[in-house]
């Protein structure tokens, strides 16, 4: 099935980025947030992002207008009824995602594929609450979605080959490089990345080195574009704790046991860039 109309649910960091990618690639996009004001704010931030690209000569004004004309914003889940694909990108909480999948399953067309942008959670658990487990999978974009080329296509035991082929084609149409991976916590990237990020927090806790020296070391020594503490701020510390908890839950590997400092920062409301304060101030 060729995907034309895409629903995006969640107005956070990832929902906005995926919406931009899908609309620029020529898909009709329906953005849904629980509050109409947040859905409208997503469109406003998309307008801003596209305007910047026009100013920098990276996008034609006509393409900006065409992209915006393909996007609608709503608070009403029913507006997603005619979508070919829905990508949910709400909070990393399995019970919230399962409720959403149950609700979507009842209201969208039979052929619609339901996908999650989860970073670590078991996709099969979202699949089995629906009557269409063969049409449920993971489509994991990276942050910031407009810049990062990778999309992990997560295949739960229940997904059909047709579903995986359709979402792979969708990711390619969005200009991304899809890789297929089984439904296992953290998939490829986060399973390998998060022990590193978590151990950087432990190193800071132990006062082995300062924040700036830890980040500088990994940039200068490994040629990484940003250090681990700055990357945690970009991901969001609450999302990072949820990712580590899901990994620990599945593997019981001590490298995945969330560093206490990270949990305390989340409790204090220091969530990284999105709250204005994390390991750095924004
Ligand atoms: N941040 C990253 O780097 C990153 C990268 C890839 C994937 N993801 C995944 O994308 C998803 C969203 O992450 P994000 O970083 O955009 O988070 P975010 O905190 O920026 O946004 C979360 C969104 O979920 C909504 N939400 C919160 N509680 C809700 C509820 N009970 N019901 C419905 N919506 C609710 C919020 O209003 C917000 O729009 C998560 O599954 C996360 O694991 C995140």
């Amino acid at each position: 099935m060729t995907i034309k109309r895409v629903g995006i649910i969640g107005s956070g960091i990832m929902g906005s980025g995926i919406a931009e990618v899908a609309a620029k690639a020529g898909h009709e996009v329906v953005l849904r947030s629980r509050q109409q004001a947040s859905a409208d704010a997503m469109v406003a931030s998309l307008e801003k992002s596209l305007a910047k690209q026009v100013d920098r000569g990276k996008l034609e004004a006509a393409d900006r207008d065409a992209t915006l004309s393909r996007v609608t914003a709503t608070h009403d889940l029913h507006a997603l009824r005619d979508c070919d694909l829905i990508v949910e990108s709400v909070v990393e909480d399995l019970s919230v995602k399962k409720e959403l999948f149950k609700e979507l399953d009842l209201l969208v067309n039979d052929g619609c594929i339901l996908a999650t942008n989860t970073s670590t959670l078991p996709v099969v658990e979202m699949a089995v609450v629906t009557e269409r487990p063969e049409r449920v999978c993971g489509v994991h974009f990276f942050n910031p979605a407009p810049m990062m080329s990778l999309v992990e296509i997560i295949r739960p035991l229940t997904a059909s080959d047709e579903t995986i082929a359709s979402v792979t084609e969708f990711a390619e149409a969005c200009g991304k490089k899809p890789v297929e991976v089984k439904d296992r916590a953290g998939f490829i990237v986060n399973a390998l990345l998060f022990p590193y990020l978590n151990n950087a927090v432990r190193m800071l806790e132990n006062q082995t080195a300062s924040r700036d020296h830890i980040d500088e070391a990994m940039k200068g020594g490994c040629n990484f574009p940003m250090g681990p503490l700055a990357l945690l701020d970009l991901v969001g510390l609450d999302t990072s704790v949820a990712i580590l908890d899901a990994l620990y839950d599945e593997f019981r590997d001590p490298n995945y046991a969330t560093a206490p400092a990270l949990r305390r920062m989340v409790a204090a409301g220091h969530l990284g860039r999105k709250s204005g304060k994390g390991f750095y101030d924004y």
Side-chain angles (χ1 to χ4, degrees), residues 24 48-64:
K24 272 181 86 176
K48 223 166 130 189
S49 164
L50 296 177
K52 250 193 228 161
Q53 294 167 40
V54 172
D55 289 345
R56 292 186 190 143
K58 291 189 172 160
L59 184 72
E60 295 294 330
D63 291 335
R64 171 200 57 201

Side-chain angles (χ1 to χ4, degrees), residues 8-10 32-34 77 80 86-91 93-108 114-117 126 129-130:
I8 312 278
I9 305 183
R32 190 270 180 175
S33 185
R34 287 172 298 173
L77 216 48
L80 303 172
I86 295 176
V87 182
E88 75 71 24
S89 196
V90 303
V91 66
D93 179 321
L94 187 56
S95 57
V96 171
K97 289 185 191 286
K98 280 164 73 173
E99 273 313 304
L100 185 58
F101 271 74
K102 250 192 235 170
E103 217 179 325
L104 286 170
D105 186 41
L106 296 176
L107 66 89
V108 299
L114 301 179
T116 173
N117 183 45
M126 297 170 226
V129 299
T130 73

Side-chain angles (χ1 to χ4, degrees), residues 6-12 15 19 29-36 38-40 42 72-80 86-87 89-90 100 103-104:
V6 182
I8 312 278
I9 305 183
S11 54
V29 171
V30 187
L31 296 177
R32 190 270 180 175
S33 185
R34 287 172 298 173
Q35 309 290 331
Q36 185 65 41
S38 313
D40 293 339
M42 277 171 92
T72 50
T74 182
H75 70 281
D76 181 7
L77 216 48
H78 289 86
L80 303 172
I86 295 176
V87 182
S89 196
V90 303
L100 185 58
E103 217 179 325
L104 286 170

